[in-house]
Amino acid sequence: MLFAIFAIWKFPSFQAQAELGSAYAARVGCSCRYVQGRSLESCQSDFEPGMEMVSLSEDPSTKTVTGSVPLLASRSARYSGASGCLLRPEN
């Protein structure tokens, strides 16, 4: 019972951290993949410690990389040529 109350109380904080982590991962992953030309797998080694739950996926047709934390958050960044990689607006 105490765990459930704690989880409900802390959920907004967990979700905000997941949102920030997924946005950071999308931006770093996009730059690594489309600016540096590295593989997406090697880009995950650039993550900060504590980001093990964040995963990357890509859509090569739109040059978009998505960072996501399961069940909590997902953000995407798109390669825009000379502007580099830009986070896509939230829906």
Side-chain angles (χ1 to χ4, degrees):
M1 179 72 169
L2 288 175
F3 178 75
I5 293 170
F6 177 76
I8 292 169
W9 177 60
K10 292 299 270 182
F11 182 75
S13 175
F14 293 145
Q15 190 171 22
Q17 289 177 355
E19 185 77 24
L20 180 64
S22 61
Y24 172 81
R27 172 69 176 73
V28 168
C30 179
S31 295
C32 171
R33 178 73 181 106
Y34 294 107
V35 175
Q36 296 177 351
R38 294 169 42 202
S39 72
L40 199 60
E41 292 79 27
S42 74
C43 295
Q44 288 194 297
S45 66
D46 294 344
F47 287 179
E48 296 293 324
M51 293 186 61
E52 292 79 16
M53 291 192 66
V54 181
S55 63
L56 293 177
S57 60
E58 73 174 312
D59 181 356
S61 64
T62 60
K63 294 188 176 183
T64 301
V65 172
T66 301
S68 60
V69 176
L71 303 175
L72 290 176
S74 179
R75 291 294 306 269
S76 298
R78 186 173 156 268
Y79 178 66
S80 298
S83 298
C85 290
L86 305 172
L87 283 173
R88 298 184 67 151
E90 294 183 60
N91 294 334

